[in-house]
């Protein structure tokens, strides 16, 4: 603080409100010996000591600012003394001016020095308090991923919906009649035996955890008038233990078409479309005779191996691991809907015909992505789902 306001101003005697002030440049005629007591050397030294002590005692920049006004402000003892110099006789001005000037200089220096120290302390404190350790690993939340079984089912459903088919769904807890009888699985059929099916207590409740998605087809035929084109994805249950190729809960997708004049040729066309969506444009299907109670005639469908493209490598050094060397991969069962089943559902088999086919989604996923074991699919490890991303 080098400000020296009022140094050239003479202290003014008290005047009443309306009186004129003495011009600043005029001679000092109102010298009052009482007021110059502030110029006493001992008092000046004392004021300096107090100021230095106050500066040293200030523990923060805020405290320093608070005490600074009292020791350097316009109403401080030293500022008052400085103003009184003007009132001294000329012979005394020089010495008093020097003494007061040096005193004010020491105080200003002390405050400036203390301010410097406190600023350094503050900066160091900020560096510690606001320190950011850029080497700490970031807290990163892994994005979720839809399960590949769900993705695969959706991919197939989307393709059939794109061809005008509708999605049909049904309950997982199903009546025995819909799960077996209506599908031409009589009471003596092996699939009804206890080792395959989860029956609900009591056993004669007539309820099971559905063993296939086919009861959805029965429900659809009972509810709707033909033409019917539905795709039915869903969870099914069997009393299998979990191992590399079996799981007690798995997924099927079934397609059912009921219309006038549908033939095996339409079935073949739908199967070809199905496998092309799943395994690429290059593939095609072949069918072999089989037996399923729900369909007549029934077929087992194979499709051309997408890995070796049908090369017959069985027994050679290059035997294809995907198809085992035959060049073909088994897809699942299919056939024309049994006339008996149509009649059960109130559909006249002399007017309408239909076809149905289905497959296990887990098996399709294993084939398409080379998933080695069923455990990966059911254990819920996010790392398994994430490698398929959102677009598998
Ligand atoms: Zn192959």
């Amino acid at each position: 603080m080098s400000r020296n306001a009022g140094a050239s101003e003479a202290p003014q005697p008290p005047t009443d409100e309306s009186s004129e002030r003495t011009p600043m440049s005029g001679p000092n005629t109102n010298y009052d010996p009482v007021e110059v007591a502030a110029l006493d050397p001992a008092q000046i030294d004392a004021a300096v000591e107090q100021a230095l002590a106050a500066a040293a005692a200030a523990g923060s920049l805020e405290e320093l600012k608070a005490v600074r006004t009292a020791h350097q402000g316009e109403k401080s003892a030293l500022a008052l003394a400085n103003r009184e110099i003007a009132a001294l006789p000329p012979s005394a001005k020089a010495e008093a001016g020097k003494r007061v000037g040096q005193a004010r200089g020491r105080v200003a220096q002390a405050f400036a020095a203390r301010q410097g120290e406190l600023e350094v302390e503050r900066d160091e404190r900020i560096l510690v308090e606001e320190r950011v350790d850029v080497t700490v690993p970031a807290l990163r939340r892994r994005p979720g991923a839809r399960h590949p079984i769900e993705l695969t089912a959706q991919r197939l459903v989307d393709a059939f919906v794109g061809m005008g088919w509708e999605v049909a769904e049904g309950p997982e807890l199903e009546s025995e009649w819909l799960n077996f009888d209506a599908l031409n699985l009589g009471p003596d059929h092996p699939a009804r035996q206890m080792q395959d099916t989860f029956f609900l207590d009591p056993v004669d409740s007539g309820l099971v955890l559905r063993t296939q998605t086919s009861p959805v087809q029965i429900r659809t035929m009972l509810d709707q008038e033909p033409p019917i084109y539905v795709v039915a994805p869903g969870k099914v249950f069997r009393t299998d233990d979990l191992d590399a190729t079996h799981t007690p809960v798995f997924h099927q997708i079934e397609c059912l078409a009921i219309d006038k004049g549908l033939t095996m040729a339409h079935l073949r066309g739908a199967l070809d479309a199905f496998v092309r969506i799943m395994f690429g444009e290059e593939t095609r299907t072949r069918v072999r005779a089989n037996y399923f109670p729900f369909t007549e005639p029934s077929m087992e469908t194979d499709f051309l191996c997408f890995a070796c493209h049908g090369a017959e490598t069985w027994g050679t050094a290059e035997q294809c691991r995907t198809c085992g060397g035959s060049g073909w991969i088994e897809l699942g069962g299919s056939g024309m809907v049994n006339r008996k089943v149509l009649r059960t559902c109130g559909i006249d088999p002399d007017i309408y015909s239909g076809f149905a086919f289905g497959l296990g989604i887990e098996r399709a996923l294993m084939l398409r992505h080379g998933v080695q074991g069923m455990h990966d699919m059911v254990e819920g490890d996010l790392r398994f789902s994430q490698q398929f991303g959102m677009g598998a």
Side-chain angles (χ1 to χ4, degrees):
M1 286 270 284
S2 59
R3 191 158 166 260
N4 212 8
S8 61
E9 268 182 45
Q12 299 300 318
T15 57
D16 59 56
E17 299 282 325
S18 60
S19 68
E20 290 187 349
R21 287 169 172 254
T22 305
M24 287 175 69
S25 56
N28 179 15
T29 56
N30 296 305
Y31 177 70
D32 181 351
V34 177
E35 291 195 21
V36 300
L39 281 168
D40 176 59
Q43 285 194 12
I44 287 173
D45 286 346
V48 169
E49 291 307 319
Q50 283 173 13
L52 297 189
S60 68
L61 288 166
E62 290 74 26
E63 285 177 28
L64 189 69
K65 189 181 176 185
V67 299
R68 188 171 213 153
T69 310
H71 298 284
Q72 279 194 293
E74 290 182 18
K75 290 177 182 169
S76 67
L78 290 175
L80 184 64
N82 193 53
R83 281 202 291 278
E84 288 174 355
I85 291 168
L88 292 174
S91 59
K93 275 187 180 175
E95 193 200 340
K98 187 179 174 187
R99 189 187 310 126
V100 173
Q102 282 178 345
R104 299 184 85 198
R106 284 181 65 196
V107 171
Q109 202 174 23
F111 272 95
R114 185 62 187 147
Q115 172 142 357
E117 289 170 11
L118 290 172
E119 282 174 355
V120 168
E121 281 179 22
R122 178 201 59 192
D123 291 348
E124 286 175 349
R125 195 173 61 248
I126 287 173
L127 284 176
V128 171
E129 287 174 357
E130 299 182 6
R131 179 168 173 264
V132 175
D133 186 350
V134 296
T135 65
V136 171
L139 289 172
R140 197 170 292 165
R141 222 177 261 268
R142 284 170 169 267
R146 288 160 71 203
H147 197 279
I149 288 176
E150 173 69 14
L151 283 170
T152 303
Q154 285 302 318
R155 179 189 174 92
L156 292 166
V157 166
D158 283 353
F160 276 87
V161 167
M163 293 191 288
W165 294 48
E166 291 178 5
V167 178
E169 287 177 313
E172 291 167 6
L173 184 61
E174 191 57 277
S175 75
E176 247 184 282
W177 187 81
L178 286 167
N179 193 74
F180 296 121
D181 299 273
L183 289 157
N184 203 26
L185 286 151
D188 299 325
H189 196 280
R192 294 183 72 138
Q193 290 179 11
M194 296 289 277
Q195 64 266 31
D196 293 319
T197 308
F198 287 109
F199 288 87
L200 259 74
D201 275 340
V203 175
D204 60 1
S205 67
L207 292 172
V208 295
L209 287 177
R210 68 180 181 194
T211 58
Q212 49 195 341
T213 45
S214 306
V216 179
Q217 303 186 18
I218 302 298
R219 286 173 173 275
T220 306
M221 287 189 279
L222 287 170
D223 286 349
Q224 297 180 22
E225 292 292 319
I228 293 169
Y229 290 88
V230 290
V231 55
K235 220 176 262 179
V236 301
F237 308 83
R238 304 271 176 95
T239 56
D240 287 322
D241 288 329
L242 178 65
D243 62 28
T245 54
H246 295 86
T247 163
V249 184
F250 57 101
H251 299 76
Q252 286 184 339
I253 186 164
E254 291 193 357
C255 297
L256 170 74
I258 307 288
D259 208 339
K260 288 176 182 170
L262 288 183
T263 69
M264 296 279 278
H266 296 106
L267 171 56
R268 288 296 305 275
L271 288 169
D272 279 338
F274 191 87
V275 295
R276 277 200 299 270
I277 291 160
M278 217 30 215
F279 299 105
E281 286 295 317
E282 302 297 310
T283 192
R284 58 192 168 85
T285 59
R286 74 174 184 186
V287 293
R288 294 175 282 126
N290 203 338
Y291 166 76
F292 302 109
F294 176 65
T295 48
E296 178 61 34
S298 300
M299 306 182 301
E300 195 66 51
T301 308
D302 300 330
F303 64 99
L304 201 64
C305 176
F306 55 88
C308 65
H309 305 288
E312 289 185 9
T313 53
W314 189 83
T316 68
E318 293 82 34
Q319 185 171 319
C320 176
R321 294 172 67 179
T322 302
C323 64
S326 71
W328 294 88
I329 298 171
E330 194 176 304
L331 179 71
S334 67
M336 301 307 289
V337 179
N338 195 312
R339 289 171 63 88
K340 197 174 168 187
V341 172
L342 288 176
R343 257 199 302 273
T344 302
C345 297
I347 294 172
D348 187 344
D350 292 329
I351 300 174
Y352 293 102
S353 58
F355 62 81
F357 63 95
L359 81 162
I361 294 174
E362 277 83 352
R363 181 171 150 74
L365 188 62
M366 286 171 121
L367 285 169
R368 191 165 188 268
H369 294 289
V371 177
Q372 295 298 314
M374 201 61 86
H375 289 90
D376 284 338
M377 294 198 220
V378 301
E379 282 173 353
D381 190 330
L382 200 55
R383 289 169 297 183
F384 173 71
S385 299
Q386 280 176 332
Q387 62 184 309
F388 293 93
M390 296 301 290

